[in-house]
């Protein structure tokens, strides 16, 4: 019994059995009779890492899926999942396949070229890596979302970039995430007592590439970073944050209000222009990164 197996265990194994045959004549020596069996042991290794990368030009996609550290090489196929959850294999794909030795293991990469249909508002494309020798299947997917879906919420917005047909959300864990929304949170809240210090934070879960942020108020010089710290707030003020990535820019207005100590009489939420402010610990979904 070999446990656990390693690549160094691979090779030919031989088992031999020897018996001594004596014809019954004690004056003659016994004759050794031997039989042996041979077996070739092959050690299979499942893929260690799988990743998917992409390039886009309008509706034209170039996707590359790479599996590392498998023996023997893996098989790769591509599927597309419809908005109602039906997954089908993409037929007749132009593809380029590469297999490179990595010591005793193999790295396998496959690149495809695909064109999105004009009526596709969302397209989830998966790279399915199958290693039949170890009964291993790994999914990696990437989702392309139309700006018409990303811009579902009203936001205070200024457009600076040229229109972009599709942005993309890379998902290496096989789980869908909320896409395209900028989240604003305030500590201790969007309504605070007089002379209280406040920290505003911006994030964009699901946005790819990750945006950079620039905060400002009035004519002051902008402050770069996820957070803006406000010392000793004395009056109601509206702060602004620019979230920007290569797909475009969005400007959000974030009002912070002075309240009395009788906080219970305030409503839990307020509106200022097109941005909704919810005074909750979970933060605020206020906008979308779009072209």
């Amino acid at each position: 019994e070999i446990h656990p197996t390693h690549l160094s265990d691979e090779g030919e194994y031989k088992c031999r059995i020897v018996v001594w045959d004596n014809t019954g004549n004690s004056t003659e020596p016994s004759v050794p009779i031997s039989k042996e069996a041979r077996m070739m042991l092959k050690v299979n290794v499942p893929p260690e890492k799988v990743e998917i990368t992409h390039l886009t030009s309008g509706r034209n996609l170039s996707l590359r899926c790479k599996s590392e550290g498998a023996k023997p090489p893996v098989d790769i196929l591509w599927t597309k999942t419809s908005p109602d959850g039906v997954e089908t294999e993409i037929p007749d794909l132009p593809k380029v396949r590469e297999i490179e030795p990595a010591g005793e293991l193999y790295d396998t990469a496959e690149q495809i070229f695909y064109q999105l249909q004009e009526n596709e508002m969302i397209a989830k494309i998966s790279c399915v890596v199958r290693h039949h020798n170890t009964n291993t299947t790994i999914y990696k997917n990437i989702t392309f979302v139309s700006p018409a879906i990303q811009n579902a919420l009203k936001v205070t917005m200024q457009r600076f970039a040229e229109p972009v047909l599709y942005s993309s959300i890379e998902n290496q864990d096989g789980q869908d995430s909320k896409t395209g929304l900028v989240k604003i949170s305030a500590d201790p809240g969007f309504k605070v007592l007089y002379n209280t210090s406040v920290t505003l934070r911006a994030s964009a879960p699901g946005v790819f590439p990750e945006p950079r942020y620039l905060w400002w108020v009035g004519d002051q010089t902008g402050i770069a970073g996820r957070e803006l710290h406000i010392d000793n707030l004395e009056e109601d003020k509206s702060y602004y944050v620019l979230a920007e990535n290569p797909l475009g820019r969005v400007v959000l207005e974030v009002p912070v209000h002075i309240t009395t100590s009788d906080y219970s009489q305030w409503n839990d939420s307020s509106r200022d222009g097109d941005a909704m402010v919810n005074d909750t610990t979970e933060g605020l979904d206020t906008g979308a990164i779009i072209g």
Side-chain angles (χ1 to χ4, degrees):
E1 181 178 355
I2 303 173
H3 179 78
T5 53
H6 300 280
L7 282 174
S8 58
D9 297 320
E10 185 168 279
E12 184 182 63
Y13 289 77
K14 179 172 65 176
C15 171
R16 171 188 285 182
I17 296 177
V18 180
V19 296
W20 294 86
D21 179 40
N22 191 303
T23 59
N25 188 342
S26 59
T27 60
E28 297 181 5
S30 298
V31 179
I33 300 176
S34 66
K35 289 189 175 182
E36 64 181 35
R38 298 172 182 265
M39 185 197 72
M40 177 62 68
L41 175 64
K42 292 186 176 181
V43 178
N44 299 316
V45 181
E48 178 182 3
K49 178 183 178 182
V50 175
E51 61 181 4
I52 184 172
T53 56
H54 72 284
L55 293 173
T56 61
S57 176
R59 298 183 184 275
N60 299 309
L61 311 179
S62 174
L63 305 175
R64 188 173 189 268
C65 184
K66 183 177 181 180
S67 165
E68 297 181 0
K71 180 176 178 292
V74 301
D75 293 325
I76 297 176
L77 62 90
W78 297 85
T79 65
K80 186 172 71 171
T81 304
S82 64
D84 55 0
V86 179
E87 183 182 19
T88 56
E89 184 175 354
I90 305 176
D92 304 326
L93 276 176
K95 60 179 68 176
V96 177
R97 181 178 174 87
E98 303 173 355
I99 299 178
E100 297 181 357
E104 297 182 78
L105 306 177
Y106 296 90
D107 295 343
T108 304
E110 191 168 278
Q111 185 171 3
I112 66 167
F113 305 94
Y114 182 74
Q115 186 175 48
L116 295 167
Q117 303 299 318
E118 291 187 2
N119 60 349
E120 285 186 285
M121 302 297 289
I122 182 169
K124 177 180 177 181
I125 299 179
S126 300
C127 162
V128 185
V129 175
R130 290 180 176 171
H131 195 250
H132 300 283
N133 299 72
T134 59
N135 196 27
T136 301
T137 301
I138 299 176
Y139 281 78
K140 296 293 178 184
N141 67 70
I142 188 166
T143 304
F144 297 88
V145 183
S146 167
I149 296 179
Q150 292 188 13
N151 194 24
L153 298 180
K154 290 184 178 180
V155 295
T156 304
M157 179 173 56
Q158 299 174 2
R159 295 178 181 265
F160 297 96
E162 292 298 321
V164 177
L165 288 177
Y166 279 80
S167 66
S168 58
I169 297 87
E170 186 167 349
N171 178 1
Q172 292 286 12
D173 297 325
Q175 299 293 329
D176 290 328
S177 61
K178 184 187 300 182
T179 63
L181 297 180
V182 177
K183 176 182 286 187
I184 305 294
S185 62
D187 183 17
F190 294 100
K191 302 185 186 77
V192 296
L193 296 176
Y194 177 82
N195 208 31
T196 299
S197 296
V198 181
T199 299
L200 301 178
R201 295 183 179 88
S203 63
V207 172
F208 179 82
E210 183 178 359
R212 58 182 182 179
Y213 304 95
L214 182 68
W215 296 85
W216 74 92
V217 58
D219 296 329
Q220 295 182 9
T221 303
I223 300 175
R226 291 177 176 270
E227 297 185 356
L228 174 67
H229 185 70
I230 307 165
D231 291 321
N232 309 115
L233 187 68
E234 298 180 348
E235 59 182 353
D236 293 352
K237 280 190 179 180
S238 288
Y239 297 84
Y240 296 88
V241 59
L242 166 69
E244 178 184 34
N245 71 4
L247 300 176
R249 302 175 178 180
V250 60
V251 177
L252 305 178
E253 180 182 8
V254 184
V256 182
H257 300 283
I258 298 295
T259 183
T260 63
S261 58
D262 186 10
Y263 190 81
S264 62
Q265 307 214 357
W266 284 77
N267 197 327
D268 287 339
S269 64
S270 65
R271 286 184 177 270
D272 190 341
D274 290 332
M276 178 182 294
V277 177
N278 296 323
D279 192 7
T280 65
T281 57
E282 295 181 355
L284 166 67
D285 293 333
T286 56
I289 299 295
I290 64 174

